Amino acid sequence: MPERSDTPPPPVLLGNEPGSFPHRVLAERHPAIIQQVRDSFPYGPEQHRALDALLANCTKGVIEALPAYAHDGDRWTAWGADANVGRSWFDVPWLWSESYFYRQLLEAVGYFTPGPWQGIDPFRPSKTAELDAPETDEELSALDTLADRPAEEQDRALLHGSLWGNRADLGFRLSAAPGETSSDTPPLVADDSETLWSLLPPSGSATLCLIADNAGRELVPDLLLIAHLLTQGRIARAVLHVKPYPYYVSDATHTDVLDALRRLTAAPGAAATYGRTLWSALTDGRLTVRAHPFSCAPLPYAEMPGDLRDEFAAATVTLLKGDLNYRRLVGDRLWPPTTPFADVTAYFPGPVAALRTLKSDVITGLATRTEAALVAAEGQRWRTGGTHALIQVRT
């Protein structure tokens, strides 16, 4: 049975349980990311020393304060730094420690410090390599075939392209119609897509806020979806929220949006048409890119500031992409999977939708039968393997 609405929520996820997914991220993924960053650029001795210190600190030490000169020190204080500095990375809320790791990583490579490395995205080589990969050409060429399909099929294909991101085999195919799959554990474990389309009829004056997730081949389908919605008249305006600075390895920044747009406009066929639509929409204001500081906050959206609350309240629907945004939307807690999505997002100031591939433990809104089938078939691996996804909407 779902939790009663008056039941206290489960505690936030921590990384202090060996063998758990959060523990593996802190103990294994973060050291690997530090090595990846070391290898991406010819950083000098100062940056290498700082990266070595961060590696030792994040695996065996305690959380340290930002330097006194940090431009955003007051912001991180407001976000809870005073309560967490001096504690183990594994003993504070996982969302907080994971987010703060990336802020400290940028500090180590001099991203915010005047000098030759200021403003240099340490993750840019991997982002651009993905955009330039032959697989991207294959995905974009699929748009030529899609152009001849009925509008309803285009809707479905581009929505699923955005949902699955760079999994091109699933991203651009048309999903099975209702009733066509016999599996009790289908790739899509929750599907409110019809409710989403009902919020965006082809007639209208709708405003879409889309909170982006990853750059590269995952951002491109998000941009294609926006272009399609504008072309079909399902929205009159879109606001694309990205990160104000590099974050979580591949999260999209404004620079990444421009790189993806150039990739589209330089492509042959239908992809270039989508690219020109987006270029025009940016120049005339139908598409706006926004990088709010709260996009990098180590906090759930329940604690969003007033200006964001007002913006989302005015939108026809706010669409959150990806796993991290889902954790921030519902709260980074080990909810019983049948906890109603509408209950945990009741605070959100307007209609809200989540498009997410499952890559962490947090999940809500599943039917009891679906959860039971997933557990019977896969144990708990279905939560984190990226082989399942969901489309959830609260109107």
Side-chain angles (χ1 to χ4, degrees), residues 31 34 49-62 64 89:
I34 292 174
R49 284 192 297 270
L51 289 169
D52 289 342
L54 178 61
L55 176 60
N57 175 257
C58 73
T59 53
K60 300 177 181 178
V62 297
E64 297 179 353
W89 291 82

Side-chain angles (χ1 to χ4, degrees), residues 91-234:
D91 291 339
V92 305
W94 179 42
L95 177 62
W96 202 98
S97 58
E98 197 177 11
S99 300
Y100 194 67
F101 166 79
Y102 289 98
R103 175 59 183 86
Q104 289 286 40
L105 182 62
L106 294 181
E107 193 65 41
V109 298
Y111 181 85
F112 295 113
T113 307
W117 296 106
Q118 186 175 27
I120 302 297
D121 183 348
F123 311 121
R124 183 166 171 77
S126 59
K127 292 176 177 178
T128 55
E130 186 178 280
L131 266 185
D132 294 337
E135 292 84 357
T136 306
D137 291 319
E138 296 172 13
E139 293 170 8
L140 295 180
S141 67
L143 295 169
D144 296 331
T145 302
L146 190 62
D148 297 327
R149 297 293 189 93
E152 181 179 335
E153 295 186 7
Q154 293 183 38
D155 288 346
R156 185 186 306 162
L158 288 166
L159 180 65
H160 280 255
S162 179
L163 170 66
W164 288 104
N166 64 7
R167 289 187 55 186
D169 57 328
L170 290 170
F172 285 100
R173 75 178 190 183
L174 297 179
S175 63
E180 286 186 10
T181 177
S182 60
S183 172
D184 287 332
T185 60
L188 205 56
V189 299
D191 185 4
D192 295 338
S193 54
E194 291 305 314
T195 303
L196 179 59
W197 291 124
S198 73
L199 293 171
L200 302 171
S203 57
S205 56
T207 294
L208 170 71
C209 283
L210 193 154
I211 302 178
D213 185 30
N214 292 329
R217 288 167 58 210
E218 295 196 28
L219 179 61
V220 166
D222 297 341
L223 293 173
L224 294 174
L225 178 62
I226 290 173
H228 176 72
L229 296 175
L230 287 167
T231 301
Q232 296 297 315
R234 285 187 174 273

